[in-house]
Amino acid sequence: MTAHNRVDHSADNADELTSAQNDVRVLGKSRPRSENMAANKIECNACPVLCQITEGRSGACDRYANVQGVLTRVDPLVLLTRISDPSSTEHKGTQPQQQPQLQHRELSDGSADRQEANVTSASAELFVTGVGAGTTYPDYKPAPFMVSSKLNGVDMVTVVTEGIFSYCSFKVKIDTDRYLGPERASIRHRGEEVGHVTTAEYGSQMLSLGGVHHLTGGSKKEGRVTCEMMMALGNKQAVELDIDGGAKLIVQAGRAPIVDGVEEKRMRVGCGSATIGIFAKQWFGHVDEVVVVDDHITGVLSEHQAGRCLDMPLSGIKMRGRKSTPGRYFQVANPGQGWGGTDIANPLEIIEGFDPEHARPGMRLLMTSTTGEHSAWFVLDEQLQPVPAAMPSAVQKVVDRIVENCEPSLASVLFLAGAGGSLRAGVTDNPVWLTNSIKQAITHVSCGGAPAYVWAGGGITVMVDVLRMPDNAFGSVPTPAIVAPIEFTMRLDDYARLGGHLACVRPLDEVVSAERERSVHWAIRQSDWPLHQKPMLG
Ligand code: SF4
């Protein structure tokens, strides 16, 4: 670690610190690395940067400060509070434009805050999260909090920390039919490469953002911009992204994605072929042909198995693109922002003509996109040319039903991180025992109280929906790396068997009364409460 890494940024926020001094949580002093350090400075030992912080100021990450000569975690410790009547506020899943299940209530007055906590603590409805808990460095030190509590008469312990993650990323699902860019294309934020386009899934495009190679494997600027983008995304803020050879996006967890300045409304009910299959019966008798335009598979009703099952005669339509199986066509156009994720604005461009052996004047043709966002009605004239006409109400009704079946478009943001050996050492003297206990469903892992999916295989690789985490749960340090909360909950006797740091275990009420906190009201079913969770294993 070089000297220039030890940064004192406190001049920028000294005023805020003064007002925050009543809120800070006091940590310990430690012997400074440099004996020549000024007397009014202390060394922060919560991460490898080892900032030397002047009294009244904070370190490079703004998470720690020197308050009257004592190293102090500035942000409050976040407790989850279970509401008293889950049945009245039971969450029903994330809805577009809604707040996530977690409802935060930050109390402006410190005493009121404490009073609230004491009331809820008495009913044992609190869970200590890693948000604001702080980190311990170097790795042999126990995690900042080991909190004991009782669950149905059983002694439990939750080990709580803010992990510093270099190996982490965000997997983002963009619900859209539109073409966002080629698979593997680079994604940029403020000009720096911060991720790439991965696979397209059913009605959605997946992105991978962040990751160790962008954080630490490129230029200093790339790492800093990546880290800032990741922190904003994790904290449920909107971030702007540019895809090389593709679209400009604004992405925010739980909100509709904005593609090239246009807010997405709906995700498709299925590909063109699936849409034909779903609605064939409802169209039957009202149409002679339906084409569902789709960048992936364009469906043609009379040729499709669904049309054959209904004994529909062939219309003689000749499609552009590559025929896959009957009534299913690939590559009818290029990807783009037009009909069904193609680049076409005029749907007739994908029709080469009609075979007079099957076609006849007066034939009725519906063309629609997979979302029903685009639709048009045509009738063949004497030359077998499709002529636009007013869509009959019976047909319009089915198009409207396609729209109705297309769910609202959202951006979903999952945090993916590997809890490394060092973080594990803060939990137990023999880290592999922690890993094994998670695999054996003895230990439950959560991130800010949100249930974490634990990947199969080695290590502790977790994935969590940021919408289920408290607001502003993510921080960063200048190495650069992301700081994220993580909690390990198990029975106290199991913790002893794992070689846990038992001497550091403190009762929940003691933590609550000693720490300044804000309460977080989590409107969930009883079974979602972190202490009740079974580990979510891959
Ligand atoms: S970056 Fe933050 S955590 Fe790391 S040493 Fe500086 S103040 Fe402490």
Side-chain angles (χ1 to χ4, degrees):
M1 189 59 53
T2 56
H4 73 268
N5 290 117
R6 297 174 205 143
V7 188
D8 181 351
H9 281 189
S10 52
D12 300 337
N13 59 7
D15 292 344
E16 291 91 320
L17 182 58
T18 305
S19 65
Q21 283 184 348
N22 290 332
D23 298 339
V24 293
R25 189 161 52 77
V26 174
L27 303 178
K29 276 184 176 176
S30 68
R31 188 171 60 83
R33 171 168 293 200
S34 169
E35 300 299 338
N36 299 325
M37 191 170 68
N40 67 336
K41 291 192 174 191
I42 56 172
E43 184 180 79
C44 175
N45 56 6
C47 94
V49 178
L50 299 174
C51 295
Q52 295 181 358
I53 310 174
T54 308
E55 182 163 345
R57 297 180 174 177
S58 61
C61 66
D62 288 338
R63 296 165 58 241
Y64 286 89
N66 177 344
V67 178
Q68 295 171 353
V70 178
L71 181 66
T72 307
R73 179 72 173 94
V74 174
D75 300 310
L77 177 67
V78 175
L79 307 179
L80 296 186
T81 307
R82 189 166 46 164
I83 57 164
S84 57
D85 180 15
S87 60
S88 63
T89 51
E90 190 172 288
H91 82 75
K92 296 174 173 62
T94 304
Q95 298 297 317
Q97 308 299 324
Q98 283 185 342
Q99 289 296 315
Q101 301 95 306
L102 292 168
Q103 299 168 10
H104 302 248
R105 186 170 59 182
E106 293 196 45
L107 306 176
S108 57
D109 171 295
S111 60
D113 195 358
R114 179 64 46 77
Q115 186 181 20
E116 170 75 10
N118 284 341
V119 168
T120 48
S121 173
S123 58
E125 299 290 309
L126 289 174
F127 180 81
V128 179
T129 75
V131 183
T135 38
T136 48
Y137 180 80
D139 307 330
Y140 62 77
K141 288 187 193 166
F145 292 102
M146 323 269 173
V147 184
S148 63
S149 59
K150 272 205 188 293
L151 177 66
N152 300 329
V154 177
D155 288 319
M156 306 290 291
V157 64
T158 301
V159 181
V160 175
T161 190
E162 283 179 305
I164 298 178
F165 296 97
S166 301
Y167 286 89
C168 67
S169 63
F170 287 92
K171 303 305 172 201
V172 179
K173 171 173 164 280
I174 308 283
D175 298 336
T176 184
D177 234 7
R178 273 174 239 291
Y179 175 70
L180 300 187
E183 196 167 307
R184 294 173 291 163
S186 293
I187 301 174
R188 295 177 192 279
H189 177 67
R190 301 210 306 262
E192 295 296 321
E193 193 174 336
V194 297
H196 63 274
V197 176
T198 73
T199 51
E201 302 299 343
Y202 211 103
S204 308
Q205 176 65 60
M206 309 299 287
L207 311 179
S208 176
L209 298 173
V212 69
H213 291 299
H214 294 299
L215 280 170
T216 61
S219 68
K220 206 169 174 180
K221 188 176 176 202
E222 179 180 333
R224 182 169 46 79
V225 169
T226 299
C227 195
E228 289 167 5
M229 179 277 302
M230 292 177 73
M231 199 170 94
L233 198 63
N235 287 335
K236 307 166 194 173
Q237 297 165 12
V239 298
E240 289 186 23
L241 303 168
D242 283 327
I243 297 176
D244 285 0
K248 287 187 188 311
L249 302 176
I250 298 178
V251 175
Q252 184 173 11
R255 300 293 177 114
I258 297 172
V259 181
D260 288 333
V262 179
E263 184 176 297
E264 282 292 274
K265 299 280 185 234
R266 303 265 160 196
M267 66 184 293
R268 65 184 184 173
V269 62
C271 67
S273 171
T275 306
I276 289 280
I278 294 167
F279 297 103
K281 229 172 138 183
Q282 298 176 44
W283 280 314
F284 185 63
H286 303 294
V287 300
D288 298 303
E289 186 61 280
V290 177
V291 176
V292 180
V293 183
D294 179 20
D295 174 47
H296 181 210
I297 302 172
T298 291
V300 176
L301 176 59
S302 71
E303 299 175 8
H304 194 276
Q305 184 66 11
R308 291 176 65 181
C309 289
L310 293 166
D311 278 335
M312 283 188 70
L314 293 174
S315 68
I317 196 168
K318 290 192 244 172
M319 298 292 299
R320 293 227 161 93
R322 179 163 64 84
K323 190 167 184 174
S324 165
T325 54
R328 301 167 78 250
Y329 291 82
F330 294 138
Q331 298 159 1
V332 295
N334 293 317
Q337 307 294 320
W339 282 52
T342 69
D343 63 347
I344 61 164
N346 174 10
L348 296 179
E349 286 176 21
I350 64 170
I351 296 176
E352 290 183 333
F354 286 84
D355 181 351
E357 191 181 324
H358 300 286
R360 53 179 171 72
M363 245 175 44
R364 304 158 297 172
L365 166 67
L366 170 67
M367 299 193 77
T368 179
S369 64
T370 45
T371 57
E373 183 186 356
H374 296 98
S375 62
W377 180 252
F378 302 94
V379 178
L380 297 197
D381 65 12
E382 294 300 322
Q383 286 73 45
L384 301 182
Q385 293 297 312
V387 177
M391 191 177 297
S393 60
V395 177
Q396 183 66 54
K397 204 171 147 188
V398 185
V399 173
D400 292 344
R401 185 157 286 180
I402 295 176
V403 176
E404 184 187 340
N405 274 269
C406 294
E407 295 169 76
S409 283
L410 285 180
S412 313
V413 177
L414 299 190
F415 177 59
L416 174 60
S422 57
L423 192 150
R424 297 174 221 166
V427 182
T428 160
D429 284 338
N430 192 353
V432 73
W433 287 350
L434 173 68
T435 313
N436 291 341
S437 76
I438 293 169
K439 308 291 181 204
Q440 293 163 15
I442 292 169
T443 298
H444 168 65
V445 187
S446 56
C447 294
Y453 172 84
V454 182
W455 281 70
I460 306 173
T461 304
V462 298
M463 197 159 66
V464 60
D465 182 350
V466 302
L467 280 183
R468 302 184 76 177
M469 299 172 70
D471 287 345
N472 298 316
F474 290 87
S476 68
V477 291
T479 50
I482 288 292
V483 177
I486 189 163
E487 306 95 26
F488 303 95
T489 300
M490 68 207 89
R491 293 165 61 125
L492 185 59
D493 52 4
D494 285 328
Y495 190 46
R497 276 190 281 275
L498 295 183
H501 307 295
L502 291 181
C504 302
V505 174
R506 298 159 63 196
L508 175 65
D509 284 350
E510 184 186 310
V511 173
V512 169
S513 59
E515 303 297 331
R516 185 263 178 192
E517 72 282 341
R518 56 180 166 151
S519 64
V520 180
H521 294 250
W522 192 1
I524 62 165
R525 292 178 290 264
Q526 172 101 348
S527 57
D528 279 350
W529 187 243
L531 286 173
H532 292 168
Q533 292 286 305
K534 293 284 181 214
M536 296 175 69
L537 302 173

